DNA sequence: CTGTTAGCGCATTCAA
DNA sequence: TTGAATGCGCTAACAG
């Protein structure tokens, strides 16, 4: 049994009316343009037939389909959940496009695909610097929809909105805290390539460390040699050192290695994670670890809220407001991994 | 400057050819139907103009768009990552639709939306029992595409493929292990509503416990009262008890509460998680916890692989193979949370 | 071998 | 108040 699709035509026939009428009524069932009886009839038939409008036809016609695409470079559960919730509230469709593995060009491909759906807006968290996005940038510029960038501004897209954490204050506080605990050295742990936000953090960190007269260093993580790198670095420590890690994963792994090497955390090394993701809506991995890990908590929920509101505003009001750069405050959550025993607070 | 869209018409004009030719060539640039010169010309112009075909038009015409939708009831990073990777390999578009919060009807809504995109296939992990899906079931049945269910078979959709973990063996092994460690009681921890797979686990558990002459009980978790429930239950323990938790989150929280109550894990209580998710492609929360948590590891990667292959097969070959029910082996990963001190193995 | 044409399902406009 | 005609961008069948 091959059943053909139910279209407005089907409904029109069954109701003894024309397509136009059906379309009208279905689009605006409350409008008194048609007699109540007709409207009721149409709606009833549509219901019986399990009618669903064809997105492609609508898209073709209207050139838009109330769709927002979220492009994130890795699986970032808290952000995705938050955005999902906010978008649901405003009755837009959300299409998530994750590119978890750092496959060359995957992100560009995802963006291309996103554009092909002619969404009303795109929320994009670039994972790396401008230079990687040569091909896609022109497509984005040629496109008519709205883009909000997360975390990093791109030089080649200067007139895009950006929503990101305010990184300076929290980093300063972290250093202050580290100093108060008597650590003599700070090490910033991140991937080799750093993007704008990381750079801000890095600079602030270096600068503030100098103010407090604390040594500063940086580890660039090669994802294949990770554990080895940590082992090497940790085994050479000569003074109380605090590690500030880009993302929870690094922090956890350093802690693991420290445990293997029988290095005491927090006394010999301190660990701070930048992230503090909420997983499964209930648990933070920094709180599961022992000792619990101090963290600069990225305000994903607030970022999601701000981003979606901004984007929707852009979409519905067509007013040309200049690009915004919104910063959302981060919080420093002090836990055991940086609370040395015997240091008076 | 309002730039209009680039369509095949634009290209045709600029190349001095007809739409039909352009369409043909672009669809199949290698086909010798047109002289190499013409083909080259068309492709070049399309390139210059940054032409991108309109998905809606294609969808309308062909009634399909090489799209697979993944509907998961909560954010399940490992599964999503794996599926994403596999789908990318076969050159289909993946659209992820997560419904993390248990909002009434959210899942149905997500499925409806999914169907509206007329995907070639849907991968769906139902979060609850048939009765909740009354409305959507008929739409799915009326639909012409392929569905693969994850984890749970639905009675109202008996002819759908199902891919799921083989739950019996691993549960038996877990009980055996628990018995060998001298625990006298087993408690199954899960949400109040249980779905097919949970039921299998529950039954196997109860039965096997009886075989080993171990007490059996069950806690139904009300997500608001979680901690309280655990506190109450744990404070009443009179004999070495092993908790088998549906999902890592429950396991972590029980461990947390046990720590507060100064209950020793593994000696007084044992904990086993069913899940052992891989997070961020590198870390399992069960390994971060102290003691590390024993787990029945759900084979998400294998499930993803099997599912995508099955679905693609169904889509490309149109052969009507009867619905399959594929089971993927689970692994029992024994860690400290169930390894009592002083018990000889 | 190439260009023309009919429609996919819908919304909009205009005529009746 | 209603219905018929048009076109969105593309493809496939068909005509030249």
């Amino acid at each position: 049994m091959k059943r053909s699709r139910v279209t407005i035509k089907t409904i029109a026939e069954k109701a003894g009316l024309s397509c136009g009428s059906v379309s009208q009524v279905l689009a605006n069932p409350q409008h008194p343009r048609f007699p109540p009886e007709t409207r009721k009839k149409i709606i009833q038939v549509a219901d019986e037939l399990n009618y669903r409008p064809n997105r492609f036809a609508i898209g073709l016609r209207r050139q838009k389909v109330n769709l927002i695409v979220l492009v994130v470079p890795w699986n970032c559960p808290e952000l995705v959940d938050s955005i999902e919730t906010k978008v649901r509230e405003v009755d837009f469709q959300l299409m998530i496009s994750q590119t978890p593995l750092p496959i060359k060009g995957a992100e560009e491909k995802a963006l291309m695909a996103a554009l092909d759906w002619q969404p009303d807006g795109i929320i994009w968290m670039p994972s790396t610097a401008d230079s990687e996005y040569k091909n896609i940038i022109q497509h984005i510029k040629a496109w008519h929809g709205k883009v909000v960038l997360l975390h990093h501004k791109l030089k080649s897209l200067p007139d895009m909105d950006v929503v990101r954490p305010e990184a300076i204050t929290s980093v300063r506080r972290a250093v202050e805290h580290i100093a108060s605990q008597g650590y003599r050295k700070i090490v910033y742990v991140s991937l080799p390539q750093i993007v704008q936000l990381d750079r801000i953090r890095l600079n602030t960190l270096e600068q503030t460390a100098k103010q407090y007269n604390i040594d500063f260093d940086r580890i660039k993580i090669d994802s294949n040699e990770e554990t080895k790198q940590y082992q090497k670095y940790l085994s050479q420590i000569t003074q109380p050192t605090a590690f500030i890690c880009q993302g929870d994963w690094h922090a956890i792994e350093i802690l693991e290695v420290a445990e293997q090497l029988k290095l005491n955390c927090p006394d010999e090394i301190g660990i701070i994670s930048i992230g503090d993701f909420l997983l499964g809506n209930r648990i933070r991995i920094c709180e599961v670890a022992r000792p619990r890990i101090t963290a600069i908590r990225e305000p994903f929920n607030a970022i999601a809220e701000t981003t979606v509101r901004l984007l929707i505003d852009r979409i519905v009001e067509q007013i040309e407001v200049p690009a915004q750069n919104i910063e959302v405050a981060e919080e420093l959550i002090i836990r055991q991994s940086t609370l040395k025993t015997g240091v008076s607070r």
Side-chain angles (χ1 to χ4, degrees), chain A:
Chain A
M1 178 194 71
K2 186 148 195 175
R3 100 185 59 205
S4 63
R5 289 192 161 65
V6 176
T7 72
I8 42 171
K9 209 163 151 190
T10 326
I11 298 174
E13 278 165 19
K14 192 152 182 184
L17 294 161
S18 80
C19 302
S21 314
V22 174
S23 171
Q24 301 274 356
V25 171
L26 255 30
N28 206 341
Q30 309 303 336
H31 199 285
R33 186 176 166 181
F34 295 85
E37 225 175 280
T38 310
R39 285 187 270 154
K40 204 172 157 190
K41 173 87 184 173
I42 290 178
I43 290 167
Q44 188 200 323
V45 173
D47 231 44
E48 270 171 29
L49 264 38
N50 279 332
Y51 168 75
R52 299 241 85 199
N54 183 317
R55 273 205 115 76
F56 296 138
I58 295 177
L60 192 57
R61 190 63 243 243
R62 295 206 242 198
Q63 305 289 9
K64 57 169 285 181
V65 277
N66 270 28
L67 173 71
I68 288 175
V69 181
L70 171 65
V71 181
V72 277
W74 57 81
N75 199 324
C76 186
E78 188 179 359
L79 180 68
V80 175
D81 285 359
S82 300
I83 297 225
E84 207 271 335
T85 310
K86 309 298 177 203
V87 170
R88 194 207 303 283
E89 284 166 10
V90 294
D91 204 39
F92 269 65
Q93 261 281 306
L94 177 68
M95 178 161 157
I96 302 165
S97 185
Q98 294 175 163
T99 51
L101 297 176
I103 298 168
K104 187 74 177 169
E107 203 175 347
E108 276 198 320
K109 220 174 144 192
L111 276 163
M112 276 297 213
L115 289 173
D116 283 348
W117 290 106
Q118 302 189 31
D120 300 287
I122 292 181
I123 301 173
W124 175 28
M125 180 157 157
S127 70
T128 173
D130 290 59
S131 53
E132 291 297 313
Y133 303 123
K134 288 257 165 58
N135 298 323
I136 193 71
I137 293 283
Q138 49 183 336
H139 282 277
I140 292 184
K141 283 183 174 165
W143 178 59
H144 65 292
K146 311 297 176 191
V147 180
V148 177
L149 296 174
L150 294 187
H151 283 204
H152 313 289
K153 174 176 281 183
L154 293 179
K155 267 168 289 175
S156 29
L157 292 173
D159 46 353
M160 298 280 159
D161 298 306
V162 186
V163 179
R164 58 173 165 193
E166 193 278 286
I168 295 181
T169 310
S170 52
V171 166
R172 286 214 184 112
R173 283 211 191 113
V175 175
E176 190 181 328
H177 167 67
I178 287 169
S180 78
Q181 296 293 311
Y183 294 102
R184 299 302 313 142
K185 186 170 180 178
I186 290 178
V187 181
Y188 184 64
V189 180
S190 70
L191 297 175
Q193 71 280 23
I194 60 174
V195 199
Q196 200 204 13
L197 185 62
D198 309 312
R199 185 170 310 283
I200 295 174
R201 289 220 168 91
L202 189 54
N203 291 344
T204 311
L205 211 48
E206 191 159 9
Q207 213 176 301
T208 318
K210 195 174 286 172
Q211 277 174 29
Y212 282 91
N213 201 23
I214 295 181
D215 288 351
F216 180 78
D217 195 9
R218 178 176 172 210
I219 310 183
K220 298 180 189 178
I221 297 305
D222 168 2
S223 5
N224 300 318
E225 300 279 317
E226 215 161 336
T227 308
K228 235 186 206 164
Q229 281 179 284
Y230 294 139
Q231 281 168 347
K232 194 170 165 199
Y233 203 98
L234 288 181
S235 59
Q236 292 170 356
I237 282 181
T238 56
Q239 53 187 338
T241 302
F243 292 84
I244 299 197
C245 308
Q246 182 47 254
D248 293 341
W249 313 135
H250 293 315
I252 295 290
E253 290 191 11
I254 287 197
L255 183 57
E256 188 92 21
V257 172
E259 194 181 4
Q260 285 164 20
L261 297 178
K262 307 217 187 297
L263 266 173
N264 182 288
C265 172
D267 286 339
E268 291 169 281
I269 69 165
I271 301 180
I272 296 184
S273 170
I274 301 172
D276 207 27
F277 306 146
L278 191 61
L279 297 171
N281 247 312
R282 21 167 72 185
I283 284 178
R284 297 179 198 275
I285 205 163
C286 288
E287 282 177 346
V288 173
R290 292 295 179 271
R292 293 183 174 85
I293 299 174
T294 296
I296 293 174
R297 182 179 294 172
E298 296 208 44
F300 285 118
N301 198 46
I303 286 179
E305 179 142 15
T306 309
T307 302
V308 173
R309 192 161 41 210
L310 179 60
L311 188 53
I312 297 296
D313 281 356
R314 288 256 185 239
I315 292 170
V316 295
E317 319 164 13
Q318 286 288 340
I319 309 159
E320 279 304 321
V321 191
Q324 297 197 41
N325 186 347
I326 301 180
E327 303 207 325
V328 183
E330 292 180 327
E331 207 179 337
L332 177 67
I333 313 283
I334 296 177
R335 303 198 182 96
Q336 303 154 357
S337 70
T338 53
L339 283 177
K340 279 200 191 177
T341 50
V343 174
S344 71
R345 300 206 213 160

